Amino acid sequence: MTSKTTPESPLPIRTVLQMVGGWIGRLGTVWVEGQITDLSARGGTVFLTLRDPVANVSARVTAPRGVYEAATPRPADGARVVLQVKPDFWVNKGTFAFTALEIRPIGVGELLVRLERLRQLLSAEGLFNADRKRRLPFLPGVIGLICGRDSAAERDVLENARRRWPAVRFKVEEVAVQGPYAVGEVTEALRKLDADPEIDVIVVARGGGSLEDLLPFSDETLVRAVAACRTPVVSAIGHEQDSPLLDLVADVRASTPTDAAKKVVPDVGEQLALIRQLRDRGRRVLSGWLDREMSWLASARSRPSLADPVRELERHAEQVDALRERARRSLSGSLDRAADDLVHLRARLVALSPAATLERGYAIVQHPSGEVVRLAKDVPPGSPLTIRLSDDRLRARTE
């Protein structure tokens, strides 16, 4: 119920705090889940902060030592737990906290079940699809590295990358890689590097550890932050057998931090050897082509038309002379044969000509019409006739 107050009639602070305590007390006991941080014990009481693993929200919790020691195994900093709590409001100090009535550590089996449910949820949203993943640049200008402070993972990535490509440059963000602050620090470092235009690829590296140690890298907030990155991300968490959800959403998964260095930068020795091989192959191809062209040129130059062009012209001139002489002989022979044929034909015509017969003393008797008289009975008496001799004609009449 809201109290009516005015500047002239304010309520005493004790009254307001008692009202707040009454409202909070109505909540009763509830079961809550979170991650333990700032764990400490004084006397018979254990103090801790229960942090939400996704949102940046936390609350103070106190527990009797007996309640804390009854939990098996006893939770430590960073442990995920389920608590039965009741809210308490201390009117004298105006402070609020939860009192734990029971503590239940979340076992590995339950963690795996929850991770599987989260994996299925994110997979259904398409965050793990292969078509989302981007190819790494062949030679990144600057590599962003997110790792633990002074960690072996950092040394592995830096030393192996510089051994492969000495000129490679890194921008290192050292963060907490386990515990209650890991998700927030890794996510913030990821966003910072993704916003840097010089960064071409981001590597998130951590050494091996237990399932609980690697839980921050399966956190939904971090997974979604990686999915939203514009810069390609390489996951190098733990060893080959470790598989946090970060491996599934990252553009490239490396089995170890050392493997991440091999995937991010090329090996300068291998590239130099490849260049030598390509150069040798190019030299062989070019040399073979030049050899073939030189052979063709030598073959062309050795042809008679190019080796001795005057001789070739003389040869063709000789062929022309020979053909001309052959044509002359052929034409001359044809003319001789035609002349002989003409003589023979003329002789035959002379032999068959009536004039030749008349020259031998014969005569041809013809009617005035020019018809040749063949039989005497065909000519009646007194008929005019023409007698044709070799040199003239005579006219006569029959008796």
Side-chain angles (χ1 to χ4, degrees):
M1 180 177 180
T2 303
S3 299
K4 300 282 185 157
T5 60
T6 65
E8 290 76 20
S9 59
L11 292 177
I13 186 63
R14 64 179 181 277
T15 303
V16 175
L17 293 178
Q18 288 171 356
M19 294 170 62
V20 171
W23 292 332
I24 292 176
R26 296 175 188 174
L27 178 64
T29 60
V30 293
W31 287 95
V32 295
E33 177 190 352
Q35 188 175 27
I36 292 179
T37 63
D38 302 329
L39 180 65
S40 63
R42 290 192 297 272
T45 304
V46 175
F47 301 90
L48 58 94
T49 298
L50 190 65
R51 176 183 174 276
D52 189 284
V54 176
N56 189 19
V57 176
S58 61
R60 294 294 298 169
V61 179
T62 61
R65 185 179 289 271
V67 172
Y68 172 74
E69 293 179 349
T72 304
R74 292 181 185 177
D77 265 340
R80 298 280 290 270
V81 293
V82 174
L83 305 179
Q84 185 184 32
V85 297
K86 68 179 184 66
D88 285 323
F89 185 78
W90 284 273
V91 175
N92 293 339
K93 294 183 179 181
T95 58
F96 168 80
F98 287 107
T99 299
L101 305 178
E102 185 177 350
I103 301 176
R104 296 183 182 181
I106 298 177
V108 173
E110 187 173 354
L111 284 176
L112 291 175
V113 171
R114 295 188 180 191
L115 288 179
E116 178 60 21
R117 284 202 298 266
L118 179 59
R119 186 194 68 78
Q120 293 177 359
L121 172 65
L122 298 177
S123 178
E125 294 182 18
L127 268 63
F128 304 151
N129 290 353
D131 55 6
R132 290 188 62 260
K133 300 184 184 300
R134 293 153 295 187
R135 296 182 60 182
L136 300 183
F138 170 72
L139 182 59
V142 180
I143 301 171
L145 175 60
I146 301 175
C147 56
R149 297 175 177 86
D150 193 26
S151 62
E154 178 182 358
R155 291 192 297 273
D156 288 345
V157 173
L158 296 181
E159 291 176 3
N160 284 281
R162 287 168 179 161
R163 187 180 300 120
R164 291 171 63 83
W165 198 275
V168 66
R169 293 187 297 156
F170 279 92
K171 186 171 184 179
V172 181
E173 292 289 334
E174 295 184 341
V175 296
V177 292
Q178 71 180 62
Y181 305 106
V183 174
E185 292 188 13
V186 173
T187 304
E188 181 59 29
L190 186 71
R191 290 171 178 163
K192 180 179 178 181
L193 292 175
D194 187 43
D196 190 337
E198 289 188 343
I199 303 299
D200 293 325
V201 63
I202 300 172
V203 178
V204 183
R206 186 203 190 282
S210 64
L211 176 63
E212 292 82 355
D213 292 339
L214 300 182
L215 275 179
F217 299 98
S218 293
D219 187 89
E220 183 177 359
T221 301
L222 178 57
V223 171
R224 293 188 182 277
V226 171
C229 277
R230 294 171 298 177
T231 308
V233 177
V234 177
S235 173
I237 306 301
H239 302 297
E240 180 67 36
Q241 67 274 13
D242 298 319
S243 183
L245 297 184
L246 181 64
D247 286 350
L248 302 178
V249 74
D251 297 287
V252 174
R253 176 189 183 267
S255 57
T256 62
T258 300
D259 184 48
K262 295 179 180 179
K263 291 181 181 296
V264 170
V265 294
D267 186 276
V268 64
E270 293 177 358
Q271 297 306 312
L272 289 175
L274 178 60
I275 290 173
R276 285 194 296 269
Q277 293 175 5
L278 294 175
R279 185 174 55 195
D280 292 343
R281 185 186 302 173
R283 184 182 292 111
R284 289 194 300 270
V285 171
L286 182 59
S287 177
W289 179 79
L290 288 175
D291 290 343
R292 290 192 299 272
E293 294 301 314
M294 290 297 293
S295 298
W296 176 86
L297 184 59
S299 175
R301 292 177 60 188
S302 65
R303 294 174 183 174
S305 58
L306 294 178
D308 189 359
V310 175
R311 179 70 188 94
E312 189 68 13
L313 291 175
E314 291 176 350
R315 187 174 66 84
H316 283 291
E318 291 174 357
Q319 290 179 351
V320 171
D321 292 340
L323 290 174
R324 184 173 56 189
E325 183 62 27
R326 180 179 175 185
R328 184 182 293 114
R329 290 195 303 268
S330 177
L331 182 58
S332 178
S334 297
L335 291 175
D336 291 343
R337 288 192 299 272
D340 293 342
D341 292 342
L342 187 59
V343 170
H344 295 157
L345 181 60
R346 185 169 179 271
R348 290 176 60 191
L349 289 175
V350 169
L352 296 176
S353 173
T357 304
L358 294 176
E359 288 179 357
R360 291 199 300 270
Y362 292 93
I364 299 175
V365 180
Q366 296 176 312
H367 292 288
S369 62
E371 182 180 359
V372 176
V373 178
R374 299 181 184 278
L375 298 175
K377 65 180 183 178
D378 295 333
V379 181
S383 299
L385 296 173
T386 301
I387 301 173
R388 183 177 178 181
L389 303 174
S390 62
D391 57 345
D392 201 356
R393 294 182 180 184
L394 298 176
R395 298 188 183 277
R397 189 175 295 274
T398 62
E399 296 181 353

